């Protein structure tokens, strides 16, 4: 497609985006202050995405002077730094907050314990549980003695401070950290960890009606009678970040983006490069919400110039093998290893072994395919470059080709290489058989064939691909 065609499509998409933004602003329903109860659903591991979502939702409800904020919670735990942020958001809320462990069968395990007891009203549905907040390593193992004592003391102080502010059973809550104790909803109510049990949201609102909540703005008497509930859903960006916060998706974007940038050097249009940049940008956005190991990222990125050098050097060898090794090792270290997260409480984040194997095969076979496309016909000839007319031209060796060196073709000097086993001295006459990216020539001292012979199957396939790119 011509450049002006892509420009027209880009301008159209920009106009549609601006129009949608203005339309959503104009048609957005007006919300009177204090006439609703905000409902926030946190379902899944506690991470930076859930922390951002809760902070935005609570901030919106505060600005609207919502009567009450109800956080429906079901989590197996998560990152300690995100947990602290969420606890801070709840404690600093000027609107009363009720955390409701729901539905039946849900849990507020580990990080969820801190979030639940930080609320003005800690509520659980029947057949739910809370606790087991002992700090462990990201792989699920006990921490080393010295580190374990430090982290344990810090975590106990954290939950003790919350329980003192909310007037809850500090001793029982410390036991969830020290001894990994967990409690059913009825047990939690009996020992003073939660305020009451509610069968559903309507039951919660009925029981919280008339109670007083202590907030940074002062005591607030909660009146839920006749007030409607409005869910504050995740924004489009938050839902998108939640999708990206998957290590398998992050690794896939990183892998395909790297390969697309390699392919960009051997095509005459900008498709692979643009796609590669977009995928790598999304991968780095994902790294922003995951405890990524930057050593793994560096190794995957290093594989790109290694693969590129393999295209430029005669013979399939050290650079290609090194690039593949760098890619695989980087994949294993991407979310772990000795240089991973410094927080021992971060949950285990693994990439599927099958995905690593598949991506390694895709990367290896893709680079091999590009290699043969380049070697059999020259990348410029294959993709319509300006030097395709050099194929078949006579050349003079300016230096010994053993098998690489310099040649003169049509008064232009090029780097050149020959097949393994071929050697010529300076001044010898050779001819060009392929062009590598317009910078390196493949030459031969064997006279060019006068007729086309039978071609190997892969060479025939390469010819078809080259003709398709030429179109």
């Amino acid at each position: 497609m011509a450049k002006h065609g892509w420009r027209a499509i880009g301008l159209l998409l920009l106009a549609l985006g601006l129009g949608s933004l203005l339309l959503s602003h104009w048609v957005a329903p007006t919300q009177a202050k204090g006439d609703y109860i905000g409902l926030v659903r946190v379902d899944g591991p506690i991470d930076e995405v859930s922390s951002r979502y809760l902070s935005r939702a609570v901030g919106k409800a505060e600005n609207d002077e919502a009567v009450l904020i109800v956080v429906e919670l079901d989590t197996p735990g998560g990152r300690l730094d995100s947990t602290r942020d969420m606890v801070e958001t709840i404690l600093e809320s000027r609107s009363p907050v009720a955390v409701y462990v729901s539905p039946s069968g849900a849990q507020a395990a580990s990080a969820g314990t801190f979030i639940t007891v930080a609320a003005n009203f800690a509520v659980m549905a029947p057949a739910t549980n809370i606790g087991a907040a002992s700090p462990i390593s990201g792989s699920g193992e006990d921490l080393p003695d010295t580190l374990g004592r430090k982290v344990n003391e810090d975590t106990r102080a954290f939950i003790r401070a919350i329980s003192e502010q909310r007037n809850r059973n500090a001793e029982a809550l410390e036991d969830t950290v020290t001894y990994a104790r967990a409690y059913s909803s009825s047990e939690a109510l009996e020992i003073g960890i939660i305020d009451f049990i509610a069968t559903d949201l309507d039951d919660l609102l009925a029981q919280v009606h008339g109670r007083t909540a202590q907030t940074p703005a002062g005591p607030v008497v909660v009146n839920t009678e006749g007030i409607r509930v409005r869910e504050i859903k995740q924004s489009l960006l938050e839902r998108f970040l939640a999708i990206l916060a998957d290590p398998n998706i992050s690794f896939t974007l990183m892998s395909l983006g790297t390969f697309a940038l390699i392919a960009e050097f051997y095509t005459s249009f900008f498709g692979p490069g643009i796609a590669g940049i977009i995928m790598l940008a999304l991968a780095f956005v994902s790294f922003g919400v995951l405890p990524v190991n930057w050593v793994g990222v560096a190794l995957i990125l290093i594989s790109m110039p290694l693969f590129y050098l393999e295209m430029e050097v005669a013979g399939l060898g050290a650079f290609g093998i090194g690039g593949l090794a760098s890619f695989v090792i980087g994949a294993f270290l991407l979310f772990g290893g000795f240089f991973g997260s410094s927080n021992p409480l971060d949950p285990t984040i693994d990439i599927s072994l099958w995905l690593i194997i598949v991506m390694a095969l895709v990367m290896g076979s893709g680079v091999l395919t590009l290699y043969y496309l380049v070697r059999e016909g020259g990348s410029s000839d294959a993709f319509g470059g300006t030097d395709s007319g050099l194929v078949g031209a006579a050349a003079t060796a300016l230096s010994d080709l053993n098998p690489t060196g310099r040649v003169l073709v049509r008064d232009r000097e090029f780097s050149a290489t020959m097949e393994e086993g071929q050697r010529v001295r300076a001044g010898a006459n050779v001819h060009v058989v392929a062009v590598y990216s317009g910078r390196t020539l493949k030459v031969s001292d064997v006279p060019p064939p006068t007729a086309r012979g039978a071609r190997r199957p892969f060479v025939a396939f390469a010819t078809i691909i080259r003709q398709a790119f030429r179109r």
Side-chain angles (χ1 to χ4, degrees):
M1 182 180 289
K3 289 184 177 180
H4 66 272
W6 288 110
R7 187 175 301 155
I9 292 176
L11 291 174
L12 177 61
L13 292 175
L14 179 61
L16 290 175
L18 291 174
S20 300
L21 181 64
L22 293 174
L23 183 62
S24 63
H25 175 74
W26 287 332
V27 302
T30 58
Q31 182 70 48
K33 291 184 178 294
D35 72 343
Y36 76 96
I37 296 167
L39 177 62
V40 182
R41 301 183 191 274
V42 178
D43 183 5
I46 301 303
D47 54 22
E48 188 171 346
V49 176
S50 54
S51 174
R52 291 180 179 182
Y53 167 46
L54 180 67
S55 177
R56 181 188 62 81
V58 169
K60 175 176 175 52
E62 281 184 304
N63 292 334
D64 293 341
E65 298 179 7
V67 171
L68 177 69
I69 303 170
V70 178
V71 180
E72 284 195 359
L73 180 66
D74 181 9
T75 179
R79 300 181 60 177
L80 182 61
D81 53 355
S82 299
T83 302
R84 287 184 178 275
D85 292 339
M86 295 175 76
V87 167
E88 180 180 348
T89 297
I90 293 172
L91 293 176
E92 294 298 318
S93 173
R94 297 188 304 273
S95 295
V97 177
V99 172
Y100 182 31
V101 184
S102 174
S104 294
Q107 61 179 338
S110 188
T113 305
F114 298 84
I115 296 170
T116 302
V117 299
N120 299 103
F121 307 107
V123 189
M124 297 176 68
T128 56
N129 64 279
I130 188 172
S134 294
I136 57 176
S137 70
S139 59
E141 301 172 351
D142 291 333
L143 298 172
D145 289 341
T146 303
L147 179 60
R149 285 195 301 271
K150 290 181 178 180
V151 175
N152 192 282
E153 286 297 325
D154 180 69
T155 311
R156 287 172 58 192
F158 182 34
I159 203 164
R160 189 166 58 246
I162 297 172
S163 61
E164 290 173 355
Q165 181 163 347
R166 293 307 191 197
N167 194 26
R168 307 198 188 283
N169 188 332
E171 182 178 354
L173 287 170
E174 280 195 65
D175 285 346
T176 67
V177 175
T178 307
Y179 304 109
R181 291 277 173 79
Y183 307 99
S184 67
S185 55
S186 57
E187 291 171 338
L189 178 62
E190 183 179 352
I191 62 178
I193 288 180
I194 64 173
D195 297 296
F196 55 88
I197 296 174
T199 56
D200 55 26
L201 183 58
D202 290 336
D203 185 24
L204 181 151
L205 297 179
Q207 292 192 59
V208 82
H209 177 69
R211 298 196 182 210
T212 302
Q214 296 295 330
T215 71
V220 176
V221 177
V222 180
N223 178 13
T224 61
E225 186 175 356
I227 305 298
R228 67 189 183 93
V229 176
R230 182 163 68 95
E231 182 177 355
I232 304 175
K233 297 182 179 180
Q234 285 187 324
S235 67
L236 181 61
L237 175 60
E238 289 161 347
R239 290 196 293 271
F240 184 61
L241 289 176
I243 294 173
L244 290 182
D246 183 320
N248 294 301
I249 292 178
S250 178
F251 172 63
T252 301
L253 290 170
M254 184 76 178
S255 304
L256 296 180
T258 300
F259 178 73
L261 285 184
I262 296 171
E264 172 66 22
F265 289 102
Y266 300 96
T267 61
S268 60
F269 57 94
F270 297 104
I274 293 174
I277 291 173
I278 292 174
M279 285 187 284
L280 285 178
L282 293 177
F284 277 92
V285 170
S286 178
F287 296 157
V289 297
L290 290 171
V292 67
N293 179 352
W294 292 104
V295 174
V297 175
L299 285 171
I300 293 177
L301 291 178
I302 287 172
S303 68
M304 184 171 64
L306 290 176
F307 285 134
Y308 174 75
L309 288 174
E310 182 61 32
M311 302 292 180
E312 299 296 318
V313 177
L316 182 64
F319 289 119
I321 295 173
L324 191 60
S326 179
F327 175 82
V328 173
I329 295 172
F332 278 107
L333 293 179
L334 192 57
F335 295 105
F338 294 104
F339 302 97
S341 171
S342 60
N343 188 346
L345 301 183
D346 283 347
T348 301
I349 296 180
D350 294 320
I351 302 173
S352 169
L353 177 60
W354 288 108
L355 181 61
I356 294 177
I357 294 174
V358 169
M359 282 299 166
L361 291 174
V362 169
M363 186 69 71
S365 60
V367 170
L368 190 62
T369 300
L370 283 176
Y371 177 87
Y372 273 100
L373 287 173
V374 169
R375 298 289 173 174
E376 292 297 336
S379 62
S380 293
D381 181 58
F383 303 113
T386 58
D387 290 321
S388 59
L390 293 177
V391 176
T396 301
L398 297 178
S399 64
D400 291 348
L401 299 179
N402 189 26
T404 61
R406 306 288 295 179
V407 297
L408 184 68
V409 183
R410 297 175 183 171
D411 298 324
R412 295 170 60 188
E413 188 175 337
F414 292 88
S415 297
T417 184
M418 306 184 74
E419 290 285 359
E420 292 293 338
Q422 291 188 2
R423 304 286 188 275
V424 299
R425 293 192 174 278
N429 294 322
V430 293
H431 68 277
V432 180
V433 296
V435 182
Y436 301 156
S437 301
R439 290 176 289 277
T440 302
L441 307 181
K442 180 178 180 180
V443 299
S444 175
D445 60 346
V446 178
T450 56
R452 297 174 65 95
R455 310 195 71 182
R456 297 192 299 271
F458 195 89
V459 178
F461 171 74
T463 302
I464 294 173
I465 297 297
R466 289 196 296 272
Q467 290 174 349
F469 273 105
R470 190 174 290 118
R471 295 192 188 100

